[in-house]
Amino acid sequence: MKIPFFSLKYSHAEIEQQLVKEFEHVLDSGHFILGECVEKFEKEYARFSGIGNSIGVANGLDAIKLCLESLNIGKGDEVIIPSNTYIATALAVSHAGAKPIFVEPDIGTYNIDSGKIEAAISSRTKAILPVHLYGQCCDMEPILEIARKHNLYIVEDNAQAQGAIYKGRKTGSFGDINATSFYPTKNLGALGDAGAVTTNDDGLADKVRLLRNYGSDKKYYHEIKGYNSRLDELQAALLLVKLKHLDNWNKERRGIAGLYIQLLSNTGDVILPASIADGAHVYHQYVIRTKKRDTLQEFLNKNGIGTMIHYPVPIHMQKAYSGIGYKEGDLPIAEEIAETVLSLPVYPGLKVKDIEYIVQTIKRFF
């Protein structure tokens, strides 16, 4: 069998005619920047997220950066982020002019350990930036309590968890202002780069709208120094189609994960991902851990099964952050995760027989 790590073949086949129809609609309209499709998608995504405002931007990295800049976070400030995340989280902090301060994750859920946040707070800390990694919501209640206690902002990185739920609320609705990405492989993915900011604060929403569009809300009049970071009209139209299917696609991902949990239990030294009791995981990735990760990945590849490592090098050990003051061994949990995680296929359209073959192959390896 040949099972790719990720495929859009099945989900796109389901909606292909709708996508083509929307493409033709945008083409015929002749309006390609900040038109009716962006406005409609922003309203629909805000409704989906249970929040007052959604502002479409060019990508997820820009979304985080614009969140931070809307809060006037910049040079001399510190932002607490998890040590286990994609580098975009840290890059956004750096590009805003602030310093990322890493806090270790809970090794079971892979998300930031709320019990370790307060020790990282200093007089320069301005915000906590929790990441709902791999589709799993962070334990937001204690994080919110810490933020209130220390008068800090919360900015959620919801790039991997559209539709995840924590205590009855969607992720991306807890922070003062929050970011997401619609990169093609996300649970809600565009056909190119795209992202959004969500917030209940109308003032922050208006500022992000200015920042994304050259600092302007009227052509050729510029209130602040902004950027060109607008959600493309075509991508908005395509995302509108996909948004209608997102809950069902997330349900399918949960079903696939449930099969992995059932069939992979007690297999070798494989550690399955933990889920928090008050959350509904959307399994952007299904990430196991094993000390035999590299040889298992090679074995699966030889047997036609695609896998990925998210992420093989922690941010504090990347060359780009060599001057920030961290060294190997400073963040041992992030380093252990990087050395042992392996992401298995999990996407709409994956069949039971595919999952059974993946599990059988893993068991055969062990």
Side-chain angles (χ1 to χ4, degrees):
M1 294 180 70
K2 293 287 185 182
I3 303 173
F5 171 68
F6 179 74
S7 175
L8 289 166
K9 175 182 176 181
Y10 307 99
S11 56
H12 280 182
E14 183 181 357
I15 59 173
E16 182 176 356
Q17 290 184 344
Q18 296 168 276
L19 294 175
V20 171
K21 181 180 178 181
E22 289 305 315
F23 171 81
E24 292 174 344
H25 170 75
V26 174
L27 182 65
D28 291 343
S29 76
H31 197 154
F32 307 116
I33 302 293
L34 294 183
E36 64 175 14
C37 293
V38 169
E39 184 177 347
K40 186 175 180 182
F41 174 73
E42 289 175 336
K43 289 179 180 177
E44 290 299 319
Y45 189 68
R47 185 179 294 113
F48 173 84
S49 301
I51 201 161
N53 298 280
S54 169
I55 306 99
V57 298
N59 55 69
L61 172 58
D62 281 5
I64 305 172
K65 184 179 75 169
L66 297 183
C67 286
L68 297 172
E69 291 200 21
S70 74
L71 297 170
N72 298 316
I73 292 172
K75 187 175 181 180
D77 296 332
E78 294 178 353
V79 177
I80 291 172
I81 72 171
S83 57
N84 180 48
T85 184
Y86 183 54
I87 198 170
T89 313
L91 288 174
V93 175
S94 299
H95 290 322
K99 180 181 179 180
I101 302 297
F102 299 108
V103 169
E104 289 274 68
D106 176 289
I107 201 165
T109 66
Y110 309 130
N111 278 335
I112 193 168
D113 187 337
S114 60
K116 297 176 180 176
I117 291 175
E118 282 197 277
I121 295 172
S122 76
S123 60
R124 295 177 295 278
T125 307
K126 291 295 187 295
I128 304 169
L129 209 170
V131 179
H132 305 296
L133 198 66
Y134 307 144
Q136 164 113 277
C137 51
C138 293
D139 191 5
M140 289 303 299
E141 192 170 86
I143 296 173
L144 291 166
E145 289 176 3
I146 292 167
R148 285 191 292 266
K149 178 180 176 181
H150 294 275
N151 196 29
L152 302 175
Y153 294 115
I154 293 285
V155 178
E156 294 172 75
D157 180 341
N158 195 38
Q160 299 185 14
Q162 297 103 348
I165 297 171
Y166 177 80
K167 294 192 173 182
R169 287 174 58 185
K170 295 277 181 65
T171 53
S173 69
F174 291 91
D176 296 279
I177 188 166
N178 315 293
T180 194
S181 165
F182 304 123
Y183 184 76
T185 60
K186 304 300 185 187
N187 290 34
L188 179 60
L191 301 189
D193 269 321
V197 169
T198 57
T199 181
N200 277 319
D201 188 314
D202 293 342
L204 291 178
D206 287 341
K207 189 170 182 180
V208 172
R209 291 187 184 102
L210 288 175
L211 285 168
R212 74 172 176 182
N213 189 39
Y214 299 101
S216 171
D217 65 356
K218 181 181 179 182
K219 196 171 182 67
Y220 301 129
Y221 292 83
H222 307 271
E223 299 180 32
I224 58 177
K225 296 174 183 176
Y227 305 92
N228 176 11
S229 182
R230 302 169 297 208
L231 175 62
D232 188 277
E233 184 78 356
L234 177 59
Q235 297 301 344
L238 303 178
L239 285 166
L240 270 166
V241 173
K242 289 191 167 189
L243 182 58
K244 297 173 185 176
H245 298 264
L246 181 55
D247 282 334
N248 285 335
W249 288 340
N250 283 342
K251 183 179 179 181
E252 191 169 346
R253 287 174 180 269
R254 289 190 187 104
I256 293 166
L259 267 178
Y260 277 136
I261 292 166
Q262 176 186 337
L263 300 176
L264 268 179
S265 297
N266 303 311
T267 299
D269 72 340
V270 170
I271 299 171
L272 304 181
S275 296
I276 63 172
D278 296 316
H281 206 313
V282 292
Y283 293 99
H284 172 60
Q285 305 295 346
Y286 189 83
V287 183
I288 63 172
R289 289 196 299 119
T290 169
K291 291 180 180 179
K292 300 177 180 178
R293 189 267 308 282
D294 293 341
T295 50
L296 173 59
Q297 183 180 41
E298 183 181 357
F299 185 79
L300 291 172
N301 183 56
K302 287 179 178 178
N303 284 275
I305 299 168
T307 59
M308 285 284 287
I309 298 171
H310 297 92
Y311 303 97
V313 182
I315 299 171
H316 70 284
M317 293 174 63
Q318 296 280 358
K319 184 178 180 181
Y321 281 95
S322 59
I324 201 170
Y326 293 89
K327 63 182 185 303
E328 185 175 354
D330 284 348
L331 298 169
I333 298 178
E335 292 170 29
E336 180 178 343
I337 288 173
E339 291 171 358
T340 57
V341 287
L342 186 65
S343 299
L344 303 179
V346 53
Y347 49 85
L350 201 63
K351 307 300 183 186
V352 172
K353 63 181 178 61
D354 298 329
I355 301 161
E356 290 175 340
Y357 176 69
I358 293 166
V359 171
Q360 290 164 4
T361 306
I362 293 172
K363 288 181 178 292
R364 189 152 49 90
F365 169 83
F366 282 101

